């Protein structure tokens, strides 16, 4: 009976209410601005645009003022008069605050009372560019300052999110899954900042629409391109150059962006050899077919190439991704929209040493995806969809025409989800959902319930929580992951089977957000992640009979507390401080005497400061400071020389696995940038200094056996490193 | 109050990532490789040393151990000829024979065993002198009772006088590397293509092919210098390897010559 009343109520409400809906765009370029906020002035009604920059608000007939807002853009106001059961389409255009002293910098989450927003960050590359970067702006390095995210070294762009490993992150570029996100042996990520529009990063408790990973989701949205005029960006740094071109086409826009490193040329000029380069290309075409249909086609190609010549032989190593997708957005009516996507992704790594040694490995992915969004009321929305994915994996190792490994496998994965969001009495937001995944390799059918809730204690203070169950059916084997370093270009993806159970993780998250308290926005989150069926590659397997024999199996958990504070209404000064206290442990069968251990990425305490100061309309000074307690490493307790016929090995006797801690890590980076105009072209030049006081942060400890006794030596990370670059917009 | 809380938090953070309190414990290291159809066999028994302590190569040989080889119905007691060096002369191990090791000293009781691989014989004839532009295809008659093959290329020139083939390559490989290049080969493969990439220096080389037992094979595939994971040893009570092999070798002179 209650259900009938509810349906009648919804129908009655539907029949008497009117709606306004539309897309929020950049005034200058016409590009969509996802995650912008929409407010109905004088009421508590507000909403946030989705990742396609679409919004809808249900209102009763009357006159209203609608405010469209996004940080670093000037608010836009629209007055409307709504009659009963009318649908007004209002496409808002926001004007960027170029060359102005800012009021606020980061637009994420502020004043948004429509989302639970747990463990969620939304980032804009334009703002991240002002932070000191490691020579080249890099998205993953920017994410490493978020509390709960750690890196194993200065040289790694891999993300370890709340105790998870990089292969537990779902990385999407315009909805396409990317399997290897590294360039330059992991120093940079595959994403070209010039091509990125927005980044959504979910470090836990993510909703049912995302599946197949247990740790986090990184959803990168590329720019659609300027819809009004031709425009270009060119940038030059010490190691790379990039060029982006964008402009209108009939019914839409295009974007092409490419970059290439020139370390190979520079080192050759200096009479040295580093025969390595990478390049990547991003492209996107968008076409608006009438009011209700939009087609998006995007692609990415990246290639890293290392060659090293010996006298009569050559080592040749190529690795990279090639991906493409086509998506069709359709608006059935203002309340229902759908997206149909077809995606293809391939990662390959080919190593050839002379004619003797060949290692090929790769993963291919074909995905079809259909998603629906339904907004029946302001306080109620649904999202449902399904994924169908085909994967192919291969790994061949050949030495002198003999196959040592010849592995090939395929798998199918289907997933269906339904999630809804419900707001009650301006106090509660409840997000519930569920996902059902089926994986053919091993025939696993796994339901994953998810729930998130937020309760407003006051207009500026809310408590929130999330719980969810997450499954993962693919893993990465990396011969370096269990050791001191991590080189992501050696990642080998493989699917589980009936002998290896799917990894699962339970996320328990709770948090408090307190806005406008002592002129800051505060976020406090505590989490516990319980991981089952964790696998680690066993490179010493003897006589394997099935897939499970190649791994150590066990459990893990991580927990911690994260606190961040972001300064509000700052004028010239903008900064964010964050700190995290966290624990990650694992226990694996037949490994480390089955004792629980802290893995390499367990960092107990982290403190990050990032900020910038506008010295004038043209000058910006920025700084980033990082402090972290030492990472675990395995100590050497003793040593000996192991004699074998013809040779001798210098051996150390290791202590408990990761039983020691490296020294404390800290580093200060500073940068200055200046915007100026020359011959009608906008330029922005920057100089940056990394590790200003040249602190020797230790990455690893080893011993020099040329002395007796062997002397301890430390492999240190980034030294004092100045860099400069310039960017032009035309 | 705030200050106390801050200090307490900092102390908590640092205490929570204290390292485990581990102490070095004295351990013995065995090195013994029985060679098929070879009349003399030896075993070295040493102590490992604590990191930071000087290793006195003579002083760490372990004297006074009772070292026994058992094979078939025979028991051979090895004589200590130098501190830590135990030798037995006059025994020949034959293919597929299992040899057991027993060492007793103080509180240590060490055991292991190895199965002796069959004889290995290189096939064909090989030139005495080659250049880096030559390829040599080594092949051998398949052995039996082995777990794999090991091909070793050892430069025999004076380390202070020898000339590197490629200076960059030498720089690349010099640090911490021995002057032996070794390749583990699958037990079913009976050939190896010797190209310039296998050489680092000009001059005289010894190229050996060994059929190796499981202990030797597992050690070679798992041993990594200065690794934080111990190699696979198949030895109870101490570190080291008790392995066996059969071997054939050739000598080559790598001549410097422009093409």
């Amino acid at each position: 009976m209650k259900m009938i009343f509810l349906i009648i109520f919804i129908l009655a409400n539907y029949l008497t209410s009117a709606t306004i809906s539309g897309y929020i765009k950049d005034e200058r370029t016409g590009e969509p601005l996802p995650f912008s906020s929409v407010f109905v002035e004088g009421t508590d009604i507000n909403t946030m645009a989705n990742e396609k920059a679409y919004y809808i608000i249900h209102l009763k007939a009357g006159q209203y003022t609608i405010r469209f807002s996004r940080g670093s853009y000037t608010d836009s106001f629209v007055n409307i008069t709504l009659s009963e059961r009318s649908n007004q389409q209002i496409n808002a255009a926001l004007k960027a605050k170029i060359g102005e002293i800012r009021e606020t910098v980061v637009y994420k989450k502020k004043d948004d009372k429509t989302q639970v927003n747990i463990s969620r960050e939304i980032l804009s590359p334009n703002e991240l560019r002002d932070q000191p970067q490691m020579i080249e702006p890099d998205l993953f390095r920017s994410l490493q300052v978020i509390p709960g995210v750690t890196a194993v070294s200065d040289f790694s762009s891999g993300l370890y999110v709340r105790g998870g490993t990089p292969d537990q992150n779902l990385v999407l570029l315009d909805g396409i899954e990317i399997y290897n996100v590294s360039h330059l042996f992991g120093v940079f990520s595959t994403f070209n900042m010039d091509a990125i529009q927005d980044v959504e990063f979910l470090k836990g408790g993510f909703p049912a629409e995302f599946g197949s990973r247990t740790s986090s989701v990184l959803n990168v949205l590329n720019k659609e391109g300027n819809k009004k005029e031709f425009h270009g960006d060119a940038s030059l740094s010490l190691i790379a150059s990039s060029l982006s071109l964008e402009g209108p086409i009939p019914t839409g826009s295009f974007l092409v962006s490419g970059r290439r490193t020139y370390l190979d040329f520079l080192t050759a000029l200096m009479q040295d050899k580093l025969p390595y380069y990478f390049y990547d290309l991003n492209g996107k075409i968008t076409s608006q077919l009438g009011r209700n249909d939009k087609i998006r086609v995007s692609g990415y190609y990246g290639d890293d190439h290392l060659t090293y010549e010996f006298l009569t032989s050559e080592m040749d190593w190529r690795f990279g991704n090639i991906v493409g997708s086509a998506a069709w957005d359709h608006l059935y009516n203002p309340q229902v929209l759908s997206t149909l996507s077809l995606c293809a992704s391939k990662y390959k790594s080919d190593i050839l040493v002379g004619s003797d040694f060949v290692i090929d490995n790769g993963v291919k992915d074909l995905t079809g995806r259909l998603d629906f969004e339904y907004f029946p009321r302001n306080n109620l929305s649904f999202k449902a969809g399904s994924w169908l994915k085909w994967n192919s994996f291969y790994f061949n190792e050949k030495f002198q025409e003999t196959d040592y490994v010849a592995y090939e496998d395929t798998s199918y994965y289907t997933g269906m989800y339904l999630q809804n969001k419900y707001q009650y009495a301006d106090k509660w937001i409840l997000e519930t959902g569920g996902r059902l995944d089926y994986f053919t390799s091993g025939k696993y059918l796994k339901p994953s319930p998810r729930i998130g809730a937020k309760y407003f204690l006051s207009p500026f203070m809310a408590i929130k929580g999330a719980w969810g169950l997450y499954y993962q059916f693919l893993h990465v084997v990396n011969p370096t992951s269990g050791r001191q370093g991590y080189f992501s270009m050696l990642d080998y993806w493989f699917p589980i089977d009936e002998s290896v159970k799917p990894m699962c993780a339970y996320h328990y998250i709770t948090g408090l957000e307190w806005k406008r308290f002592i002129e800051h926005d505060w976020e406090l989150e505590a989490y516990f992640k319980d991981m089952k069926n964790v696998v680690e590659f066993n490179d010493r397997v003897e006589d394997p009979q099935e897939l499970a024999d190649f791994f150590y199996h066990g459990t893990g958990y991580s927990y911690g507390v994260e606190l961040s504070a972001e300064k509000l209404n700052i004028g010239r000064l903008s900064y964010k401080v964050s700190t995290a206290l966290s624990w990650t442990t694992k226990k694996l069968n037949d490994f480390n005497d089955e004792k629980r251990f802290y893995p390499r990425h367990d960092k107990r305490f982290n403190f990050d400061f990032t900020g910038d100061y506008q010295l004038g309309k043209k000058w910006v000074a920025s700084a980033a400071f990082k402090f972290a307690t030492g990472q675990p490493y395995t100590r050497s307790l003793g040593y000996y020389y192991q004699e074998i016929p013809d040779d001798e090995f210098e051996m150390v006797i290791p202590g408990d696995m990761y039983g020691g801690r490296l020294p404390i890590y800290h580093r200060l980076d500073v940068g200055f940038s200046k915007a100026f105009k020359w011959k009608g072209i906008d330029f922005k030049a920057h100089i940056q200094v990394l590790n200003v006081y040249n602190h020797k942060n230790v990455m690893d400890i080893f011993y020099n056996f040329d002395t007796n006794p062997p002397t301890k030596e430390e492999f240190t990370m980034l030294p004092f490193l100045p860099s400069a670059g310039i960017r032009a917009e035309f | 109050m705030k200050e106390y809380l801050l200090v307490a938090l900092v102390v908590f953070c640092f205490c929570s990532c204290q390292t485990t309190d581990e102490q070095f414990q004295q351990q013995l290291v065995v090195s013994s490789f029985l060679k098929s159809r070879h009349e003399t066999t030896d075993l070295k028994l040493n102590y490992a040393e604590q990191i930071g302590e000087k290793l006195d190569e003579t002083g760490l040989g372990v004297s006074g151990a009772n070292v026994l080889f058992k094979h078939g119905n025979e028991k051979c007691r090895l004589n200590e000829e130098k501190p830590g060096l135990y030798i037995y002369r006059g025994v020949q191990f034959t293919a597929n024979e299992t040899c057991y090791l027993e060492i007793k000293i103080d509180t240590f009781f060490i055991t292991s065993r190895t199965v002796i691989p069959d004889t290995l014989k290189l096939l064909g004839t090989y030139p005495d002198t080659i250049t880096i532009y030559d390829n040599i295809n080594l092949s051998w008659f398949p052995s039996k009772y082995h777990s794999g093959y090991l091909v070793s290329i050892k430069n025999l020139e004076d380390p202070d006088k020898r000339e590197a083939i490629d200076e960059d390559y030498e720089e690349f490989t010099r640090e911490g590397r021995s002057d032996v290049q070794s390749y583990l080969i699958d037990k079913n493969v009976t050939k190896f293509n010797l190209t310039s990439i296998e050489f680092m220096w000009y001059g005289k080389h010894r190229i050996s092919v060994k059929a190796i037992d499981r202990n030797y094979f597992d050690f070679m595939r798992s041993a990594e210098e200065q690794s934080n994971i111990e190699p696979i040893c198949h030895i109870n009570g101490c570190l080291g390897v008790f392995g066996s092999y059969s071997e054939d070798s050739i000598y080559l002179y790598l001549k410097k010559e422009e093409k």
Side-chain angles (χ1 to χ4, degrees):
Chain A
M1 194 54 120
K2 278 181 183 173
M3 185 59 78
I4 294 169
F5 278 121
L6 182 67
I7 291 167
I8 291 169
F9 176 75
I10 291 171
L11 277 174
N13 207 34
Y14 173 71
L15 292 171
T16 56
S17 78
T19 58
I20 56 163
S21 62
Y23 295 90
I24 304 170
K25 298 176 179 178
D26 183 297
E27 186 189 56
R28 187 172 64 91
T29 66
E31 283 186 275
L33 296 174
F35 312 119
S36 301
S37 296
V38 187
F39 301 91
V40 181
E41 293 288 276
T43 74
D44 289 332
I45 299 169
N46 65 81
T47 191
M48 181 184 259
N50 67 8
E51 68 174 42
K52 297 170 188 74
Y54 179 78
Y55 76 95
I56 178 171
I57 291 183
H58 296 257
L59 293 167
K60 289 185 176 166
Q63 289 189 326
Y64 298 97
T65 300
I66 312 296
R67 175 164 64 94
F68 299 92
S69 174
R70 177 172 159 132
S72 76
Y73 282 80
T74 307
D75 285 359
S76 170
F77 294 86
V78 178
N79 294 317
I80 57 162
T81 303
L82 274 177
S83 55
E84 274 188 13
R85 291 165 58 187
S86 66
N87 297 312
Q88 273 200 30
Q89 187 169 33
I90 299 172
N91 293 328
L94 302 184
K95 190 177 178 183
K97 296 173 185 172
I98 297 170
E100 294 178 22
I101 300 291
R102 298 161 308 196
E103 291 168 6
T104 57
V105 170
V106 180
Y107 57 85
K108 68 181 178 79
K109 296 184 269 189
K110 283 192 179 62
D111 299 316
D112 172 44
K113 293 179 182 167
T114 63
Q115 312 275 334
V116 173
N117 269 336
I118 200 153
S119 304
R120 184 180 189 224
E121 303 276 345
I122 296 172
L123 307 157
S124 162
N126 289 333
E127 288 141 6
L128 295 170
R129 268 205 196 89
D130 284 338
Q131 300 298 332
Q133 303 283 348
M134 197 180 108
I135 305 172
E136 272 283 294
D138 186 74
L139 173 63
F140 272 46
R141 291 188 173 276
S142 302
L143 295 172
Q144 286 172 355
V145 303
I146 292 172
V149 182
T150 58
V152 290
S153 79
D154 285 351
F155 305 115
S156 168
S157 60
L159 301 178
Y160 294 79
V161 184
R162 290 181 172 170
T165 48
D167 66 330
Q168 294 164 17
N169 304 325
L170 177 65
V171 181
L172 300 169
L173 176 65
D174 278 337
I176 320 164
E177 194 166 340
I178 306 287
Y179 285 89
N180 190 301
V181 292
S182 70
H183 275 314
L184 193 60
F185 312 106
V187 177
F188 298 116
S189 66
T190 49
F191 300 103
N192 180 350
M193 296 278 264
D194 290 341
I196 296 174
Q197 170 69 41
D198 271 303
V199 177
E200 181 186 23
F201 182 50
L202 300 153
K203 56 185 179 178
F206 43 90
E209 66 180 293
F210 299 108
S212 75
R213 293 293 186 280
T214 54
S215 192
S216 76
V217 177
L218 181 69
N219 188 16
V220 180
L221 306 173
N222 263 355
K223 285 180 185 172
E224 290 192 353
N226 196 315
K227 291 176 169 38
K228 297 190 172 175
E229 59 184 6
F230 286 99
H231 177 76
D233 283 324
S235 64
L236 194 71
S237 76
L238 290 181
I239 63 163
S241 287
S242 65
L243 177 67
S244 299
L245 297 171
E246 54 188 307
I249 57 171
T251 74
S253 61
F254 78 93
L255 168 88
V256 183
S257 183
R259 62 175 169 167
R260 190 195 188 280
T261 58
Y262 31 72
L263 276 170
D264 46 341
F265 299 130
L266 289 179
T267 51
L269 287 174
M270 291 186 280
Q271 305 295 316
D272 212 338
K273 276 185 184 176
L274 183 55
Y276 167 83
Y277 65 85
F278 76 76
Y279 67 90
D280 54 28
L281 295 165
N282 282 274
K284 191 167 182 175
I285 294 174
T286 309
S287 181
Q288 187 76 42
L289 306 172
R291 283 180 60 173
N292 298 328
D293 295 282
K294 188 177 185 179
I295 302 286
R296 293 174 280 128
V297 179
S298 61
Y300 169 87
Y301 182 78
D303 188 24
D304 284 57
H305 195 187
L306 173 72
T307 52
Y308 198 92
E309 281 182 20
F310 304 104
L311 274 182
T312 59
S313 303
E314 184 181 74
M315 183 181 81
D316 186 283
W317 190 348
R318 297 190 92 114
F319 62 97
N321 294 283
I322 176 167
V323 301
S325 79
W328 171 37
D329 299 330
H330 178 66
L331 200 60
Y332 295 89
N333 61 52
Q335 297 177 37
V336 181
L337 63 103
S338 71
T339 301
L340 174 67
S341 316
L342 297 171
C343 311
S345 177
K346 180 184 175 186
Y347 166 72
K348 67 177 177 62
S349 167
D350 300 334
I351 304 171
L352 178 68
V353 182
S355 56
D356 284 351
F357 192 52
V358 179
I359 301 179
D360 295 334
N361 99 85
V363 53
K364 297 173 192 168
D365 175 309
L366 286 176
T367 302
R369 200 177 154 173
L370 180 61
D371 299 278
F372 287 93
E373 285 181 88
Y374 175 45
F375 307 94
R377 283 156 46 192
N378 281 338
N379 64 345
L380 184 66
S381 65
F382 295 91
K383 193 166 184 181
S386 61
W387 296 12
L388 179 61
K389 189 184 282 286
W390 167 84
N391 278 121
S392 165
F393 309 85
Y394 65 93
F395 174 40
N396 301 305
E397 190 177 309
K398 193 183 273 190
F399 182 66
Q400 296 196 346
E401 297 174 6
T402 302
D403 287 326
Y404 278 74
V405 183
Y407 167 78
E408 206 168 325
D409 205 350
T410 56
S411 66
Y412 292 88
Y413 162 76
T414 57
M416 287 182 291
Y417 72 91
L418 173 65
Q419 65 189 51
N420 90 315
K421 188 175 68 182
Y422 179 66
Q423 291 170 261
Y424 177 70
D426 295 330
K427 288 280 187 190
W428 283 97
I429 303 173
L430 188 65
E431 288 177 356
T432 55
R435 189 176 178 90
L436 189 64
D437 292 317
Y438 180 70
F439 193 67
T440 54
S441 182
K443 296 179 181 164
Y444 293 106
L445 180 67
K446 295 292 177 187
S448 315
R450 320 266 168 98
I451 186 165
K454 189 174 193 176
Y455 178 74
F456 286 92
L457 299 166
S458 78
F460 301 115
M461 187 193 255
I463 53 171
K464 53 192 179 181
W467 175 86
L469 173 58
Y470 301 83
Y471 283 100
Q472 176 152 348
F473 306 97
L474 308 180
H475 288 284
V476 158
V477 163
N478 189 307
T480 62
S481 62
R483 309 291 166 82
Q484 308 290 44
Y486 184 82
F487 299 101
S488 55
M489 69 286 187
L490 293 171
D491 284 352
Y492 309 137
W493 284 91
F494 72 95
I496 59 165
D497 67 5
E498 55 280 348
S499 70
V500 180
K501 289 180 183 167
M503 183 190 168
C504 74
Y506 292 87
H507 292 198
Y508 304 83
I509 308 168
T510 185
L512 170 75
E513 62 180 45
W514 197 350
K515 294 183 183 299
R516 305 178 190 183
F517 175 62
I518 332 175
E519 295 186 347
H520 289 73
D521 275 354
W522 297 80
E523 288 261 4
L524 177 69
E525 281 193 9
Y527 67 90
F528 178 76
K529 192 190 313 189
D530 190 8
M531 295 173 272
K532 314 278 188 198
N533 304 327
V534 173
V535 292
E536 292 257 349
F537 181 51
N538 174 8
D539 61 355
R540 288 158 189 224
V541 59
E542 293 178 52
D543 195 20
Q545 302 295 316
E546 56 183 4
L547 185 67
D549 295 339
F550 286 96
F551 302 96
Y552 299 110
H553 303 255
T555 58
Y557 58 81
S558 62
Y559 56 91
V561 184
E562 298 159 5
L563 175 69
S564 64
E566 198 170 337
K567 195 167 189 325
L568 281 172
N569 300 321
I570 37 200
R572 291 173 183 275
L573 178 65
S574 156
Y575 65 80
K576 181 175 180 179
V577 289
S578 60
T579 180
L581 184 62
S582 60
W583 286 259
T584 300
T585 70
K586 286 183 184 177
K587 187 178 176 189
L588 302 172
N589 298 336
D590 305 321
F591 185 79
N592 193 36
D593 299 329
E594 307 214 353
K595 286 187 282 188
R596 196 163 279 284
F597 65 97
Y598 298 111
R600 173 81 173 163
H601 54 277
D602 173 64
K603 282 188 184 175
R604 185 69 62 251
F605 179 74
N606 273 280
F607 172 84
D608 281 283
F609 168 90
T610 52
D612 58 57
Y613 186 79
Q614 282 200 329
L615 297 164
K617 281 193 175 180
K618 293 180 177 174
W619 280 94
V620 175
S622 57
F625 176 71
K626 190 171 191 68
F627 173 92
T629 49
Q631 287 172 262
Y633 82 106
T634 303
R635 288 189 295 188
S636 299
L637 302 179
Y639 70 101
Y640 61 97
Y641 295 91
Q642 178 66 59
E643 288 186 30
I644 59 169
D646 296 326
D647 208 354
E648 185 179 75
F649 279 67
E650 297 156 357
M651 307 297 290
V652 295
I653 300 171
D656 282 346
M657 181 62 68
Y658 298 121
R661 290 272 170 176
L662 293 172
I664 286 167
Y665 177 103
H666 52 94
R667 195 181 96 195
L668 173 68
D669 306 333
V670 297
F672 294 91
S673 64
K674 186 189 180 184
F676 60 95
K677 214 167 187 131
W678 186 64
K679 295 195 172 179
I681 298 172
D682 290 317
F683 284 91
K684 194 166 193 179
H686 68 261
I687 52 168
Q688 294 170 344
V689 181
L690 302 186
N691 201 356
V692 173
Y693 51 86
N694 197 29
H695 182 248
K696 296 191 186 316
N697 290 305
V698 179
M699 180 176 166
D700 201 359
I701 291 170
F702 60 97
Y703 291 87
N704 179 3
F705 276 77
D706 291 341
T707 61
N708 190 4
T711 44
K712 181 176 167 181
E713 295 193 0
E714 293 176 337
F715 182 75
T716 55
M717 292 189 264
L718 281 179
F720 173 87
L721 185 65
S723 70
I726 191 162
R727 179 181 161 84
E729 290 185 21
F730 49 91
Chain B
M1 185 62 184
K2 280 181 194 167
E3 289 80 2
Y4 290 123
L5 280 174
L6 191 63
V7 169
L9 180 66
V10 171
V11 170
F12 173 69
C13 292
F14 281 93
C15 292
S16 64
C17 58
Q18 270 189 332
T19 56
T20 52
D21 186 23
E22 297 171 273
Q23 298 296 324
F24 172 74
Q25 290 180 333
Q26 194 173 56
Q27 294 197 57
L28 294 174
V29 183
V30 164
S31 301
S32 182
F33 294 85
L34 311 184
K35 192 172 176 181
S36 176
R37 294 170 196 258
H38 200 72
E39 290 208 347
T40 306
T41 189
D42 61 44
L43 181 143
K44 284 186 178 172
L45 189 62
N46 294 90
Y47 285 117
E49 186 52 281
Q50 186 172 357
I51 282 285
E53 297 294 324
K54 196 171 177 179
L55 187 69
D56 179 345
E57 287 178 20
T58 54
L60 287 179
V62 180
S63 291
N66 186 9
V67 182
L68 274 180
F69 284 165
K70 291 182 188 173
H71 60 113
N73 295 321
E74 268 190 79
K75 280 186 184 177
C76 314
R77 187 177 303 282
L78 278 70
N79 298 316
E80 187 176 1
E81 296 202 352
K82 282 186 202 172
L85 178 64
Y86 298 82
I87 292 183
Y88 193 88
R89 291 185 174 84
V91 63
Q92 276 207 6
F93 298 104
T94 52
N96 200 24
E97 191 177 11
T98 304
C99 181
Y100 296 87
L101 169 71
E102 262 187 33
I103 303 174
K104 287 179 187 167
I105 180 167
D106 301 332
T107 56
F108 292 101
F109 182 57
I110 296 159
T111 59
S112 185
R113 67 173 192 167
T114 178
V115 178
I116 313 293
D118 198 4
T119 312
L120 184 138
K121 182 73 185 161
L122 283 166
L123 297 172
T125 55
Y126 301 97
D128 298 332
T129 304
I130 60 167
T131 72
I132 56 164
Y133 301 105
D134 297 324
N135 282 359
I136 292 186
N137 291 304
L138 295 172
S139 61
W140 53 88
F141 192 76
S143 183
K144 286 189 285 187
Y145 320 118
H146 63 298
S147 291
Y149 296 104
L150 184 70
V151 177
S152 303
I153 299 103
K154 181 168 185 166
N155 184 273
L156 302 175
E157 301 293 331
D158 182 346
D160 296 329
K161 293 178 183 168
R162 64 191 170 191
E163 185 183 356
I165 293 172
D166 184 323
E167 285 177 11
D168 294 323
Y169 183 34
E170 189 198 13
E171 184 75 26
F172 184 63
T173 56
R174 188 169 48 204
E175 282 190 15
R177 299 285 155 210
S178 76
D179 52 7
V180 181
Q181 301 262 74
S182 293
Y183 297 88
L184 266 185
I185 311 282
D186 186 271
K187 68 177 181 181
N188 298 315
V189 176
T190 55
K191 60 183 182 179
F192 184 83
N193 185 24
L194 200 60
T195 62
S196 66
I197 206 164
E198 273 82 46
F199 294 94
M200 284 189 281
W201 295 278
Y202 292 109
K204 195 173 182 184
H205 289 82
R206 178 173 179 265
I207 318 294
S208 68
V209 181
K210 298 180 183 74
I212 57 178
D213 79 318
R214 185 180 172 216
N215 298 357
Y216 196 172
F217 184 82
D218 281 347
F219 175 80
M220 290 303 290
R221 76 183 175 92
S222 63
E224 203 177 308
E225 288 190 319
Q226 301 204 36
S227 169
N228 56 19
I229 303 176
E230 287 178 355
I232 302 169
C233 284
H234 300 301
I235 194 161
N236 303 313
C238 75
L239 303 166
V241 190
F242 177 60
S244 58
Y245 66 102
S246 58
E247 180 187 43
D248 197 1
S249 62
I250 57 169
Y251 289 87
L252 285 175
Y253 190 87
L254 182 63
K255 190 172 68 173
K256 189 175 181 182
E257 186 184 297
E258 298 303 321
K259 195 174 185 180

